[in-house]
Amino acid sequence: VGKKPSTDLRLASLPSDKEGSRQLNIGFIGYHSFGQYLSRQMSSQHKLRCIDPMDKSKDAEKNNVEYFPNFQMSKFLQGLDVVIITVPMTELEETMETLPLEKLRNKLVVEMNPLKVYPRTVLTNMLPADTDILCMNPMTAAELELDGVPIVYEKVRISDSLRADCFLSIFERARSQMVEMSAEDHDAYVANAEFVTHLTGRLLDRDLLPVTPVRSKEYSALCNVAEMTANDQFDMFYGMFKYNDQAKDMLNTMRENLARVERKIAAKEAYLSASAEMKNTDRQKLIAECRLLLREMARSETDSMQEKPTLNKKKDVPSGTSSTKKKD
């Protein structure tokens, strides 16, 4: 008799549990608002350190991150598994030129910019062949939770898949929506939408969005866009403009749309003004015609009163005359 199959179908562990249980040494090159945001999502699971030209020691301490000044770059890179570059795209190439690239060998380098083709080109051209490259775009603003946030990524060059999967599991465990996509597809689908979103957020300053006790869904959506982009660095936005070939056309379209709305408003005001003037003119004509009609009626009434005595005189003929005519 064969053994009965076990009724306990529970798994002792999932494959992703083993990947996620590995503690990584992760370093941030550039520790501005977005780098700080990411470090808060990772500090409970992994060992973190950061480096920045500005003194970020206080911010790092709050987030349980070890801070290194810029002149200690070699010491900062020593022993790292993952290096996350969170500098603006406009500074990416310059930053890469200052790094001791040989010390990035056998490490995973991750860039997190809103566009992908340009950063991928810079990293593949400059990094050693045995350096793993992962391009990512967490499509969220700082201070928001990762739950449900789309994380678009491309495994550009990966030799240590376990390390890469362990890093990606940080976002999977946060229940982000993981979307693997090439840099070309990412920029084709996402770049224009992201640029318009950030442009709109920058146009909607606080004076245009006053606090109200009651909000429509549309107004709340506008407020959310403005809030999400309020803390973004302008350099990041400028990078979205500079490295997107269609950004200038979209900016011109935005201007044309605004001008078109202004023209429509001006045309509507001119129409209403002309319509009101025509109504006023018609009213004046009607009044003038009524006055003329009243005058004609008054004149005809006067004429009729004058004609009555004449008619009476014609009727008063002498009686003798009529009798004489009869005799004849």
Side-chain angles (χ1 to χ4, degrees):
V1 181
K3 293 182 180 180
K4 293 182 180 181
S6 174
T7 57
D8 189 359
L9 300 179
R10 293 173 298 176
L11 293 175
S13 63
L14 296 171
S16 59
D17 292 336
K18 294 180 180 179
E19 296 169 1
S21 62
R22 176 182 174 184
Q23 189 179 59
L24 297 173
N25 293 314
I26 302 174
F28 292 87
I29 297 180
Y31 200 61
H32 298 286
S33 58
F34 195 69
Q36 294 173 31
Y37 162 73
L38 289 174
S39 68
R40 287 192 290 272
Q41 313 299 319
M42 304 175 182
S43 59
S44 62
Q45 308 168 49
H46 305 282
K47 291 184 178 180
L48 307 180
R49 63 182 73 166
C50 70
I51 192 165
D52 197 282
M54 306 294 292
D55 184 3
K56 299 290 184 179
S57 56
K58 292 183 179 180
D59 295 324
E61 186 178 359
K62 290 179 185 177
N63 299 324
N64 196 26
V65 177
E66 185 180 3
Y67 169 74
F68 287 78
N70 227 33
F71 63 85
Q72 291 185 332
M73 180 62 74
S74 295
K75 184 178 180 181
F76 163 77
L77 293 173
Q78 187 175 357
L80 288 179
D81 299 305
V82 181
V83 177
I84 302 177
I85 303 176
T86 57
V87 300
M89 278 188 291
T90 53
E91 301 175 11
L92 179 60
E93 189 169 359
E94 181 182 354
T95 300
M96 294 300 297
E97 290 173 351
T98 64
L99 298 179
L101 298 179
E102 289 299 314
K103 293 186 178 296
L104 292 174
R105 299 171 70 93
N106 300 313
K107 299 183 187 302
L108 172 62
V109 175
V110 183
E111 67 81 22
M112 294 195 176
N113 282 293
L115 298 181
K116 295 290 121 225
V117 172
Y118 171 73
R120 186 188 65 181
T121 301
V122 172
L123 295 187
T124 53
N125 288 342
M126 299 187 70
L127 288 173
D130 55 358
T131 301
D132 287 0
I133 301 174
L134 180 66
C135 291
M136 295 186 69
N137 180 15
M139 298 177 65
T140 181
E143 307 304 329
L144 296 180
E145 295 295 328
L146 287 173
D147 188 357
V149 169
I151 307 290
V152 183
Y153 68 96
E154 180 184 14
K155 295 179 178 180
V156 180
R157 190 169 66 202
I158 301 295
S159 59
D160 189 340
S161 58
L162 290 178
R163 178 178 58 191
D165 291 342
C166 181
F167 179 76
L168 290 172
S169 71
I170 297 172
F171 302 93
E172 292 172 349
R173 289 172 178 275
R175 295 188 296 185
S176 297
Q177 180 185 350
M178 307 301 292
V179 182
E180 187 168 7
M181 184 183 295
S182 70
E184 289 80 8
D185 287 344
H186 171 277
D187 288 3
Y189 297 140
V190 176
N192 291 344
E194 287 286 280
F195 178 74
V196 170
T197 300
H198 285 261
L199 175 61
T200 303
R202 290 184 174 276
L203 293 176
L204 297 172
D205 59 20
R206 294 178 181 177
D207 294 336
L208 292 175
L209 297 172
V211 178
T212 61
V214 181
R215 287 185 177 186
S216 66
K217 291 183 178 180
E218 295 80 4
Y219 189 75
S220 296
L222 288 177
C223 291
N224 290 337
V225 171
E227 289 172 6
M228 285 189 294
T229 57
N231 297 323
D232 290 339
Q233 293 177 283
F234 182 79
D235 285 344
M236 185 197 76
F237 174 70
Y238 179 69
M240 297 171 69
F241 170 80
K242 181 177 181 179
Y243 299 108
N244 182 352
D245 294 336
Q246 300 180 43
K248 288 184 179 180
D249 293 336
M250 299 183 74
L251 192 58
N252 290 332
T253 301
M254 185 76 80
R255 289 196 194 98
E256 291 171 2
N257 289 345
L258 180 59
R260 187 181 299 112
V261 171
E262 290 177 337
R263 289 194 297 270
K264 285 185 177 181
I265 291 173
K268 187 67 174 180
E269 288 181 338
Y271 169 77
L272 293 175
S273 178
S275 179
E277 186 175 350
M278 289 178 65
K279 288 180 180 179
N280 187 42
T281 303
D282 292 342
R283 188 182 297 110
Q284 291 177 354
K285 286 182 179 179
L286 181 61
I287 293 172
E289 289 175 359
C290 288
R291 285 176 179 173
L292 181 61
L293 181 60
L294 289 172
R295 286 173 186 170
E296 291 178 354
M297 290 176 64
R299 188 181 298 113
S300 63
E301 184 70 19
T302 302
D303 293 343
S304 64
M305 292 297 291
Q306 291 176 351
E307 288 176 358
K308 283 182 179 180
T310 305
L311 292 174
N312 291 333
K313 287 180 180 180
K314 289 181 179 180
K315 289 179 180 179
D316 295 341
V317 179
S319 58
T321 306
S322 59
S323 60
T324 303
K325 288 181 178 180
K326 289 180 180 179
K327 288 181 180 180
D328 292 339

